[in-house]
């Protein structure tokens, strides 16, 4: 642990459900105790915040010290509140710059601030982290990041912001040249100062985030195949983004008692664990990364004392001897009623499988798809992953991509590739929208178009836009539903916070389109583009139809997945309440990894039917595990 003493920023991420929040909280407490003279800040950028659930204290957007660690302050970012602060600070000058680079007047832009911004959590998160680093508001910062896919989205926003500033610089250059032409001189204004300040701050923030002497992303994993596979992909992506990795933390390691005979289930799990530890050790050696082990606890590590005890038990996993000699007996559990009703017979068309990261959403989604495809060989079933950190292929034990893969004659699977969908969306709408926003037609004088016209707007829309995953996932699902080619679609969704963004996307996209329509109506004599507006109206109608289908219980069903841990159950209760407010039907909650000594979840979810999925054997192939889970669930 002393190897991290020189760092000033430690970011915890990894596959959902591996214990990122727990270890981030424990590490922040460790730093606060080791450096009592330093101010330590523990920050969450995950839209589904869990710091309070783990620390057992109230946590808000205002940093507050822990009662037993006064030099450790805790804060969960509120993206909406940060947007309002950003608007108050920079709104006027941003509206001025956009006005200079488009046909719109300043008053036309004011409503934009009140719209639902896709990607707001990541955008405000990266801006706030960079501001905290630049202003040195704390001596040491620990960040509890979102799961790996959305963590990568946040880091990639550095490139988006650089590109956005380049486009705004083109808008401002147009203004400079016009003023120079008409007055013979140019006097810098607030927009110039804003652009210079933002460029300097973003460059400084990027430098600190990529400085391995200052910053490290600590990658948390567990010794299970899907976590191992996602960890490899995550490490490769961090290397591409030049984000320093400070090591691998393998959480919840089972420790067999040499005196007490182990159960068949523990022997099964330990056998798989030993093989995966060996793989992590090899990865650690070839990548020259520290490898830290954290034992599985007898009870859930929540609250200060339990977290401190957890951190004290960490050990150097790279030095541990691996035992691959244990004999393993595979034993399948018995099915436990009740199960699901027959979604196909009920003619429901869309199932959303969701919950906190790591609870087993992908396994449940794959099992439901497999089970109904087996029951109805004459019906077409499609299972789709819309999580940017895909694990659906890992669950089935084969590679999947954006194009559907036939797993059986009537079951197909795909992992939505945002890059593929965004290219089509650009061709269909965004390139022409960029040209329209510039206010210049295709036959404008070419040198002016090159410097100041649609090229600046094209530069903006050519990038990976914030929040694009949820919007593109919605468009993919809308297209499938409209074509009516599948009898049942099962969505393996992103973890809770980003699932809610997906469900809110029809309203958000509809509101943005409505704003564009109002602009066009005001300026239609100048803009023309009647055909383009007709296409956008068609898109909005499609979006509104999707929203109706998401709220129609005869069409769509949400199935929650939980495990019997307090932080998971607390988040699931919040999600269930929010879904009720959004009028999304939820009749089932899957209690994954159920064991007889665990609490009755009907007390937590009285309105839902609890479907219990017992602990599955580990020493089987991925497909055998899915097939077994399908039999247990259905």
């Amino acid at each position: 642990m002393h190897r991290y003493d020189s760092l000033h920023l430690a970011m915890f991420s990894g596959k959902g459900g591996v214990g990122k929040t727990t270890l981030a909280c424990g590490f922040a407490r460790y730093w606060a105790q080791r450096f009592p003279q330093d101010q330590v800040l523990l920050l969450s950028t995950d839209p589904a915040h869990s710091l309070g659930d783990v620390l057992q204290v109230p946590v808000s957007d205002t940093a507050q010290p822990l009662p037993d660690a006064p030099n450790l302050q805790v804060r969960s970012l509120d993206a909406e509140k940060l947007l309002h602060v950003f608007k108050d600070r920079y709104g006027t000058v941003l509206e001025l710059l956009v006005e200079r680079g488009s046909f719109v007047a300043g008053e036309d832009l004011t409503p934009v601030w009140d719209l639902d911004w896709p990607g707001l959590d990541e955008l405000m998160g990266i801006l706030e982290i960079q501001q905290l680093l630049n202003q040195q508001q704390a001596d040491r910062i620990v960040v509890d990041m979102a799961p790996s896919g959305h963590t990568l989205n946040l880091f990639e926003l550095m490139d988006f912001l650089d590109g956005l500033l380049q486009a705004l610089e083109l808008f401002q250059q147009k203004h400079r040249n016009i003023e120079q032409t008409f007055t013979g001189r140019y006097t810098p204004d607030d927009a110039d100062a804003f652009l210079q300040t933002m460029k300097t701050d973003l460059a400084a923030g990027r430098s600190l985030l990529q400085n391995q002497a200052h910053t490290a992303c600590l990658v948390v994993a567990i010794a299970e195949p899907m976590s191992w596979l996602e960890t490899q992909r995550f490490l490769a992506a961090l290397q591409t983004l030049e984000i320093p990795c400070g090591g691998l933390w393998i959480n919840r390691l089972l420790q067999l008692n040499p005196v007490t005979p182990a159960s068949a289930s523990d022997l099964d799990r330990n056998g798989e664990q030993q093989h995966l530890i060996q793989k992590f050790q090899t990865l650690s050696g070839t990548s020259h990364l520290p490898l830290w082990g954290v034992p599985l606890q007898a009870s859930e590590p929540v609250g200060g004392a339990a977290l401190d005890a957890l951190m004290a038990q960490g050990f150097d996993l790279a030095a541990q001897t691996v035992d691959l000699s244990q004999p393993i007996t595979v034993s399948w559990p018995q099915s436990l009623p009740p199960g699901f009703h027959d979604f196909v017979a009920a003619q429901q068309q869309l199932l959303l499988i969701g919950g906190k990261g790591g609870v087993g959403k992908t396994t449940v989604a794959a099992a439901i798809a497999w089970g109904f495809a087996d029951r109805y060989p004459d019906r077409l079933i499609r299972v789709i992953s819309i999580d940017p950190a895909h694990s659906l292929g890992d669950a089935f034990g084969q590679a999947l991509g954006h194009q559907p893969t036939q797993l059986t004659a009537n079951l197909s699977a795909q992992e939505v590739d945002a890059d593929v969908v965004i290219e089509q969306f650009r061709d269909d709408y965004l390139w022409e929208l960029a040209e329209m926003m510039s206010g210049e037609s295709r036959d404008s004088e070419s040198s002016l178009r090159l410097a100041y016209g649609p090229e600046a707007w094209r530069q903006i829309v050519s990038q990976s836009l914030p929040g694009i995953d949820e919007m593109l996932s919605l468009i993919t699902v809308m297209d499938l539903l409209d074509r009516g080619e599948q009898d049942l679609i099962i969505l393996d969704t992103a973890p809770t916070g980003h699932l809610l963004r997906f469900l809110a996307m029809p309203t958000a996209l509809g509101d943005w389109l409505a704003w564009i329509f109002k602009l066009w109506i005001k300026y239609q004599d100048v803009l023309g583009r009647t055909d383009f507006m007709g296409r956008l109206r068609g898109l909005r109608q499609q979006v509104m139809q999707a929203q109706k289908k998401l709220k129609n219980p005869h069409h769509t069903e949400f199935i929650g997945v939980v495990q019997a841990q307090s932080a998971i159950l607390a988040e699931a209760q919040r999600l269930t309440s929010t879904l009720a407010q959004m009028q999304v039907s939820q009749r089932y909650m899957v209690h994954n990894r159920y064991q007889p000594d665990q609490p009755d979840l009907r007390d937590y979810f009285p309105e839902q039917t609890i479907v219990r999925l017992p602990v599955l054997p580990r020493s089987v192939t991925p497909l055998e595990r899915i097939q077994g889970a399908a039999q247990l669930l259905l």
Side-chain angles (χ1 to χ4, degrees):
M1 293 280 281
H2 295 342
R3 63 170 60 93
Y4 302 118
D5 287 358
S6 62
L7 295 179
H8 293 273
L9 175 63
M11 301 177 289
F12 282 79
S13 189
K15 180 176 170 58
V18 295
K20 301 180 303 298
T21 302
T22 299
L23 294 180
C25 291
F27 187 81
R29 290 183 60 87
Y30 163 79
W31 255 2
Q33 293 161 9
R34 181 163 175 77
F35 304 102
Q37 75 284 1
D38 286 355
Q39 287 297 313
V40 181
L41 174 64
L42 171 60
L43 186 72
S44 171
T45 65
D46 190 334
H49 302 300
S50 296
L51 292 182
D53 299 332
V54 173
L55 292 167
Q56 300 284 280
V57 297
V59 177
S60 70
D61 183 56
T62 302
Q64 296 289 342
L66 287 184
D68 63 338
N71 66 323
L72 171 57
Q73 295 198 319
V74 185
R75 178 186 174 197
S76 292
L77 292 186
D78 184 329
E80 294 285 349
K81 188 180 293 185
L82 287 172
L83 176 62
H84 287 299
V85 173
F86 187 81
K87 174 191 173 183
D88 290 342
R89 185 178 301 164
Y90 301 122
T92 301
V93 69
L94 278 171
E95 290 171 17
L96 177 64
L97 281 165
V98 174
E99 183 178 7
R100 288 171 175 173
S102 69
F103 67 88
V104 300
E107 64 267 18
D108 299 322
L109 296 166
T110 303
V112 169
W113 297 105
D114 297 323
L115 297 178
D116 187 355
W117 287 36
L120 182 64
D121 299 289
E122 286 94 348
L123 182 59
M124 292 296 106
I126 191 66
L127 288 173
E128 189 67 9
I129 289 173
Q130 291 194 334
Q131 179 174 306
L132 290 169
L133 291 173
N134 291 334
Q135 297 182 357
Q136 298 182 332
Q137 296 184 18
D139 299 300
R140 299 171 185 271
I141 302 173
V142 180
V143 185
D144 173 32
M145 308 288 285
S148 53
H150 289 93
T151 290
L152 294 175
N153 287 350
L154 183 146
F155 289 144
E156 288 167 356
L157 276 174
M158 292 189 293
D159 292 334
F160 169 79
L161 290 169
D162 287 343
L164 178 61
L165 283 177
Q166 291 171 17
L168 294 176
E169 179 66 35
L170 285 177
F171 296 163
Q172 182 66 359
Q173 187 60 40
K174 176 180 179 179
H175 166 73
R176 294 178 190 128
N177 283 11
I178 291 173
E179 184 172 323
Q180 182 76 30
T181 299
F182 283 98
T183 68
R185 60 191 178 87
Y186 175 70
T187 304
D189 60 14
D190 290 345
D192 294 289
F194 164 78
L195 289 169
Q196 186 56 52
T197 298
M198 289 299 291
K199 287 177 189 175
T200 301
D201 288 351
L202 289 175
R206 179 191 286 267
S207 176
L208 289 173
L209 278 171
Q210 295 179 334
N211 181 354
Q212 62 182 358
H214 182 280
T215 299
C217 182
L218 306 179
V219 179
V220 183
I222 53 178
E224 293 184 2
M226 290 171 69
S227 177
W228 155 250
L229 292 168
E230 186 166 320
T231 297
Q232 292 181 90
R233 295 189 290 265
F234 187 44
L235 288 174
L238 289 176
Q239 186 173 14
T240 299
L241 292 167
E242 300 181 43
I243 301 295
C245 179
L248 301 171
W249 289 45
I250 314 304
N251 195 21
R252 301 181 193 145
L253 290 170
L254 178 66
Q255 308 282 290
L256 294 182
N257 189 325
V259 177
T260 306
S263 66
S265 175
D266 282 350
L267 287 173
D268 179 28
R269 178 175 176 179
N270 184 65
E272 177 186 64
Q273 176 178 286
Q274 293 299 306
H275 282 88
L276 286 163
I277 287 174
Q278 186 179 58
K279 291 182 177 181
F280 278 116
Q281 288 175 334
T282 301
L283 178 63
S284 166
T286 57
S287 304
H288 307 290
L289 293 173
L291 184 65
W292 196 248
V294 181
L296 177 69
Q297 302 298 290
S299 59
E300 199 175 347
V302 294
L307 291 168
D308 293 346
L310 177 71
M311 299 307 289
Q313 295 173 47
F315 60 95
D316 182 3
L317 187 58
Q320 177 172 299
T321 302
V322 173
D323 180 9
L324 304 178
S325 63
Q326 289 278 1
I328 299 169
T329 302
V330 175
S331 176
W332 285 93
Q334 296 295 311
S335 177
L336 301 169
F340 299 115
H341 73 265
D342 193 323
F343 301 114
V344 173
Q347 297 185 323
Q348 289 178 279
Q349 293 179 273
L350 182 63
L351 303 181
L352 309 174
I353 316 301
K356 186 174 174 64
V359 293
K361 300 184 300 296
T362 302
T363 298
V364 171
I368 291 174
W370 187 276
F372 278 106
D374 184 60
R375 181 181 295 182
Y376 289 97
D378 59 334
R379 303 294 181 89
L380 296 178
I381 312 293
R382 172 77 56 82
V383 58
I384 305 172
S385 169
I386 61 172
D387 187 338
H390 299 297
S391 294
L392 189 60
D394 300 338
F396 282 113
Q398 71 173 83
L400 297 177
H402 184 74
Q403 294 302 318
T405 298
Q406 287 298 137
L407 302 178
T408 68
N410 66 322
L411 173 61
S412 57
Q414 72 180 108
E415 296 176 336
V416 173
D417 185 335
D419 291 336
V420 174
V421 184
I422 187 60
E423 280 305 317
Q424 186 62 52
F425 194 65
R426 287 187 182 113
D427 290 341
D428 291 343
Y429 304 106
L430 293 183
W431 295 135
E432 189 163 356
L433 180 61
E435 190 171 84
M436 187 187 86
M437 289 300 296
S438 73
E440 298 182 33
S441 63
R442 288 184 175 88
D443 57 1
S444 297
E445 200 279 320
S446 61
S447 62
L448 285 176
R449 290 182 68 242
L450 179 64
Y452 309 122
E455 275 65 23
W457 284 97
R458 287 173 68 89
Q459 183 170 324
I460 294 173
V461 302
S462 67
Q463 301 184 75
S464 284
L465 305 172
I468 203 70
D469 294 293
E470 286 80 15
M471 186 181 78
L472 299 179
S473 297
L474 173 68
I475 290 169
T476 302
V477 173
M478 287 191 314
D479 184 53
L480 276 172
L481 292 173
D482 288 346
R483 282 186 283 163
E485 297 172 354
Q486 303 295 318
D487 295 291
L488 181 64
I489 298 172
I490 300 100
L491 292 189
D492 172 30
T493 69
T496 303
H498 295 91
L499 162 67
L500 291 175
R501 276 203 332 210
F502 169 78
L503 294 173
M505 192 53 62
T507 300
L509 189 52
D511 289 346
W512 278 94
L513 289 170
W515 175 72
I516 292 171
F517 296 148
K518 289 178 181 178
L519 285 182
W520 181 80
I521 289 170
K522 181 176 179 180
Y523 298 101
Q524 60 182 307
D525 292 341
V526 176
L527 295 172
R529 302 181 189 275
T530 305
D531 291 344
F532 180 55
M533 284 299 108
R535 300 209 317 273
L536 287 182
R537 285 194 182 93
L539 175 62
R540 190 168 190 270
Q541 289 169 358
Q542 190 183 19
V543 168
M544 293 302 100
Q545 284 299 314
Q547 187 173 50
K548 290 180 181 178
K549 290 176 180 177
L550 286 172
K551 293 183 177 182
N552 181 353
H554 301 295
H555 184 281
T556 300
E557 183 82 36
F558 178 82
I559 298 172
V561 183
V562 296
Q563 295 180 24
Q565 298 175 22
S566 61
I568 292 173
L569 294 173
E571 185 170 308
Q573 287 179 306
R574 293 192 291 266
L575 173 59
T576 298
S577 176
T578 303
L579 290 174
Q581 295 170 19
M582 299 176 78
Q583 299 178 309
V584 175
S585 172
Q586 182 188 0
R587 285 180 282 181
Y588 296 100
M589 184 67 75
V590 176
H591 181 175
N592 192 23
R593 300 193 177 186
Y594 167 79
Q595 297 184 57
D597 60 347
Q598 292 176 339
D600 188 342
L601 297 193
R602 288 177 295 184
D603 296 336
Y604 292 86
F605 307 101
E607 303 299 320
Q608 280 73 42
T609 298
I610 307 300
V611 178
R612 295 169 293 176
L613 179 60
V615 177
L616 302 174
R618 306 303 309 174
S619 301
V620 295
T621 67
L623 183 56
E624 287 172 335
R625 191 175 299 120
I626 295 303
Q627 292 169 330
Q631 292 181 353
L632 293 168
L633 286 172
L634 305 184

